[in-house]
Amino acid sequence: MDKKKAILAIDGKDPIELNILRGSLGCQELDIRTLGAQGYFAFDPGFTSTASCQSSITYIDGDKGVLLYRGFPIDQLALNSNYLEVCYILLYGEAPNVKQFHDFKISLTHNSLLHEQIYNLLRCFCRHAHPMAMLCGMTGALAAIYHDSMDVHRKSHRDLIAIRLLAQMPTMVSMCYRYATGKPFVYPCHDFSYSGNILYMMFSDPSETYVINPILERALDCILILHADHEQNASTSTIRTAGSSGANPFSCISAAVASLWGPSHGGANEACLLMLEEIGTIENIPVFLRRAKDKNDPFRLMGFGHRVYKNYDPRAMVMREVCHEVLNHLEVKKDLMEVAMELEYIALHDSYFIERKLYPNIDFYSGIILKAMGIPSSMFTAIFAMARTVGWIAHWKEMYDEGIKISRPRQLYTGYTQRNFNSKITS
Ligand code: SDX
């Protein structure tokens, strides 16, 4: 079938023909790869209109509020699957059968212990260091542990790297919490589920038998599923860019952790809870909404808005239901939930937010659940990083499977034209 073409006519010069690419879903895309050789670059800071790669992992329809992991809708996975099964789907493309799932679980179990040097590294941080700073350090340090046993050009090694990272991220994240609270480290226990193990490593007391709360175990597992992947977001684009040079994947994960930490990205869940606590009561909402709309005020409504979703983030819908379940089960105060729901209602009826298609995103309700579970707000983004590790690794592996090409964008130069140098500090 003939490829559709676009014709680019510039300054009356010979028209430039561009192929139009069409994926299995989503909008048509202009293939501009030949433009550079013809002396033109596309200018698109923030990549609002640029596809950086092709991928078959996750699809988002921002206008319809659709999110698919390997074609499976996020709400079906959140309600009917578990995080490890979703990890398998993201990494290998298909749902596992019973044996495949069992083997996958066993491989993670056998790789969940961290090298003791990582425990020693963690002890070098101040106790009050932000968990994301510690996580950046620990993930990067794994490159010093595994640097000589990993040939990223061998698929079997890339598969092992994925298993090691998936298996060890919960241990590292739990360690950050234990270290910050002065509690002894708890090693992973093979008897528990992936999410149960996280609760065990974070909250158990070595002097007592720890009983996992199944409601909280299920809630955490759902939160991990909702955060697992989200196509070319800033941190995933970071691991693709860092990995495109062939860099050690553990260092690349550290770069992705750093990117996720930003308040415009994964740091928004911590920022959102702090915002809800600052608002405090429903009566204070109008003041904060005015600030959010004031161009001269840097304040943004945390947990609201999204580069891609111009409709309700489907993950936020599931998160809101999980929030009600956890708060009802724990019989905790719902004051923050009431502020969040009233804030959402008022904003969604306000022309400023309606005109800009600003809706709650994944970070709007997640903090309320995590706080109710006893997780401090400083740990929220580390929980997000733990969940997103599978997405980062899936994209890193896909980049190799597709044949990596170093990322090297160009620029619109606005500096001096050439001029002669005369030093002002030497006579
Ligand atoms: C995540 O990319 C991903 O997929 C990320 C993520 C994932 O799973 O990986 O989904 C996770 O990062 C979710 C987003 C978390 N961040 C926040 O909740 C922080 C608050 N949100 C904003 O900072 C903002 O909405 C962004 C950063 C999320 C998106 O910014 P864009 O796409 O660059 O949009 P923009 O800044 O150009 O805003 C367009 C307009 C502007 O107003 P005008 O100049 O047109 O008058 O909307 C306004 C903005 O001022 N606006 C907001 C707002 N978000 C956008 N105004 C008030 N409050 C907000 N939250």
Side-chain angles (χ1 to χ4, degrees), residues 246-260:
N248 181 297
F250 298 99
S251 308
C252 298
I253 285 280
S254 181
V257 170
S259 171
L260 186 75

Side-chain angles (χ1 to χ4, degrees), residues 59-109:
Y59 174 71
I60 304 170
D61 182 326
D63 293 329
K64 295 176 184 161
V66 169
L67 170 58
L68 308 176
Y69 288 169
R70 300 286 190 183
F72 299 116
I74 189 66
D75 55 329
Q76 290 184 25
L77 292 171
L79 298 174
N80 307 317
S81 183
N82 63 68
Y83 179 68
L84 276 198
E85 187 178 32
V86 167
C87 287
Y88 188 98
I89 289 167
L90 286 170
L91 288 172
Y92 304 109
E94 297 296 339
N97 60 35
V98 173
K99 180 180 183 318
Q100 288 167 329
F101 186 64
H102 174 264
D103 294 349
F104 182 60
K105 273 184 74 174
I106 294 299
S107 64
L108 288 172
T109 303

Side-chain angles (χ1 to χ4, degrees), residues 230 264 295 300-301 303-304 306-307 315 352 361 388:
H230 214 238
S264 290
K295 287 289 158 241
R300 282 280 179 280
L301 213 48
F304 249 78
H306 199 278
R307 173 62 60 76
R315 305 168 296 177
Y352 173 92
N361 60 48
R388 185 55 57 88

Side-chain angles (χ1 to χ4, degrees), residues 48 60 226-227 229-236 260 262-269 292-293 295 299-310 313 315 352-353 356 358 361-363 384 388:
T48 52
I60 304 170
L226 295 173
H227 286 84
D229 191 50
H230 214 238
E231 56 133 280
Q232 305 311 318
N233 58 86
S235 53
T236 301
L260 186 75
S264 290
H265 188 13
N269 51 18
K293 297 189 281 189
K295 287 289 158 241
F299 175 77
R300 282 280 179 280
L301 213 48
M302 290 289 111
F304 249 78
H306 199 278
R307 173 62 60 76
V308 178
Y309 288 122
K310 300 311 171 189
D313 184 333
R315 305 168 296 177
Y352 173 92
F353 294 90
R356 292 166 180 80
L358 301 175
N361 60 48
I362 189 167
D363 296 308
F384 191 156
R388 185 55 57 88

Side-chain angles (χ1 to χ4, degrees), residues 132-346:
M132 287 299 277
M134 294 194 270
L135 195 58
C136 257
M138 287 195 280
T139 46
L142 290 175
I145 305 283
Y146 297 121
H147 68 89
D148 57 358
S149 59
M150 295 281 109
D151 174 359
V152 291
H153 298 289
R154 288 169 61 177
K155 187 179 179 310
S156 59
H157 283 202
R158 297 200 297 270
D159 289 340
L160 177 56
I161 288 164
I163 293 295
R164 278 177 167 160
L165 275 163
L166 265 184
Q168 296 179 16
M169 206 49 145
T171 311
M172 288 188 281
V173 167
S174 311
M175 283 165 62
C176 292
Y177 173 71
R178 302 291 290 196
Y179 185 67
T181 49
K183 294 176 181 170
F185 294 131
V186 174
Y187 284 63
C189 173
H190 297 172
D191 302 338
F192 297 133
S193 72
Y194 193 89
S195 297
N197 217 352
I198 294 163
L199 296 173
Y200 168 69
M201 290 191 284
M202 284 187 73
F203 298 120
S204 71
D205 176 340
S207 318
E208 296 172 359
T209 304
Y210 184 70
V211 178
I212 289 175
N213 180 324
I215 303 293
L216 301 190
E217 180 183 25
R218 176 70 195 127
L220 180 58
D221 205 67
C222 189
I223 288 171
L224 297 180
I225 291 172
L226 295 173
H227 286 84
D229 191 50
H230 214 238
E231 56 133 280
Q232 305 311 318
N233 58 86
S235 53
T236 301
S237 300
T238 297
I239 195 169
R240 278 183 174 264
T241 298
S244 71
S245 69
N248 181 297
F250 298 99
S251 308
C252 298
I253 285 280
S254 181
V257 170
S259 171
L260 186 75
W261 192 3
S264 290
H265 188 13
N269 51 18
E270 179 181 7
C272 182
L273 187 87
L274 298 177
M275 175 191 76
L276 291 172
E277 289 176 337
E278 188 184 358
I279 294 173
T281 64
I282 288 174
E283 292 70 28
N284 291 339
I285 288 175
V287 170
F288 285 85
L289 279 181
R290 271 196 300 278
R291 288 188 56 197
K293 297 189 281 189
D294 179 356
K295 287 289 158 241
N296 300 315
D297 189 329
F299 175 77
R300 282 280 179 280
L301 213 48
M302 290 289 111
F304 249 78
H306 199 278
R307 173 62 60 76
V308 178
Y309 288 122
K310 300 311 171 189
N311 201 323
Y312 210 104
D313 184 333
R315 305 168 296 177
M317 283 190 189
V318 179
M319 197 71 82
R320 189 175 53 195
E321 294 317 306
V322 173
C323 202
H324 282 301
E325 281 170 27
V326 168
L327 296 185
N328 291 335
H329 171 71
L330 294 175
E331 296 176 341
V332 295
K333 283 198 311 176
K334 294 189 176 180
D335 51 337
L336 282 183
M337 186 65 175
E338 285 160 5
V339 170
M341 291 181 70
E342 181 66 14
L343 179 58
E344 173 186 336
Y345 179 82
I346 296 173

